[in-house]
Amino acid sequence: MAGLKLSWTWLVGGLFAGAIALAAVFSMLLPQGPAPLADVPMTDHHGKPASWSSYRGKWLIVYFGYTGCPDACPTGLTEIAKEMKDLGKDAEKVQVALVTLDPERDTTKLLAGYVPYFNPTFVGLRPERAQLEAVIKPFGVQYEKTPGKSGQGYEINHSLDFFVLDPDGRLQSRFLTPLPPGAFRKTLQLAS
């Protein structure tokens, strides 16, 4: 019996050691944390080429909306502007971007007149219609065109999330509106 007990001990110990070794090999093969977002060409509201890597080195807060949005976008951008003001000097480490979901109507000129109203440091980004799906896919943003309330034109129903990319371009956080007070400071781990 003693020999049988020793065999089971060795067998269980061997299986355990093998499992640890296998886990170590697999952990080396798997990506360590989220990868930086792939660049997709866009144009900023100054008419210059832009992509996610254009903002590396800063925290990037991304909001998806459009200039013709009747309520959600102005409210969301106002919330972000308040959070940026509350960051004080640390706001220099952050870039805020509105990515339009309506590139047909949101020209760079229209974005240039809209986005800085909330904060002069905010940037408007405009992907071409053909690039829009590639831009929003990593974020899981949902949107749909619906007929306008007046029966004229259209509106866009869309997700109301804010997304935070770290200075290396990796997606770190997602917030729903309304924002809890101090949300950005806590997420960005900036000193008070």
Side-chain angles (χ1 to χ4, degrees):
M1 271 313 217
L4 184 59
K5 190 172 191 178
L6 184 60
S7 296
W8 277 105
T9 305
W10 281 97
L11 179 62
V12 170
L15 288 173
F16 183 70
I20 290 174
L22 193 57
V25 169
F26 279 121
S27 71
M28 287 187 287
L29 297 175
L30 296 174
Q32 303 299 312
L37 291 181
D39 275 337
V40 180
M42 295 180 272
T43 305
D44 72 15
H45 73 259
H46 301 290
K48 296 179 181 169
S51 63
W52 301 128
S53 63
S54 302
Y55 305 101
R56 297 266 165 86
K58 285 191 167 197
W59 289 88
L60 180 62
I61 297 169
V62 181
Y63 184 71
F64 292 90
Y66 66 112
T67 63
C69 183
D71 46 24
C73 295
T75 301
L77 290 169
T78 299
E79 282 187 57
I80 295 173
K82 182 182 180 323
E83 283 288 310
M84 290 293 285
K85 186 176 179 185
D86 291 347
L87 286 176
K89 189 159 177 62
D90 286 331
E92 295 171 6
K93 302 173 187 173
V94 180
Q95 177 63 61
V96 175
L98 168 72
V99 179
T100 183
L101 294 169
D102 192 9
E104 289 85 8
R105 295 187 296 193
D106 282 347
T107 62
T108 54
K109 184 177 179 181
L110 195 54
L111 286 167
Y114 181 79
V115 177
Y117 169 81
F118 299 96
N119 183 306
T121 67
F122 289 9
V123 66
L125 296 176
R126 182 183 176 277
E128 294 296 330
R129 170 54 62 189
Q131 301 295 333
L132 183 58
E133 294 305 316
V135 170
I136 67 172
K137 185 177 180 178
F139 299 92
V141 169
Q142 301 294 313
Y143 75 101
E144 68 175 341
K145 287 184 181 180
T146 59
K149 289 183 173 89
S150 64
Q152 302 265 334
Y154 61 88
E155 292 181 4
I156 299 175
N157 293 329
H158 59 89
S159 304
L160 302 176
D161 306 302
F162 302 99
F163 301 90
V164 179
L165 278 64
D166 71 16
D168 294 322
R170 296 179 303 228
L171 184 57
Q172 293 295 324
S173 300
R174 175 185 206 151
F175 292 98
L176 289 172
T177 57
L179 287 170
F184 290 167
R185 179 169 297 284
K186 291 172 191 164
T187 298
L188 307 178
Q189 299 172 340
L190 299 172
S192 298

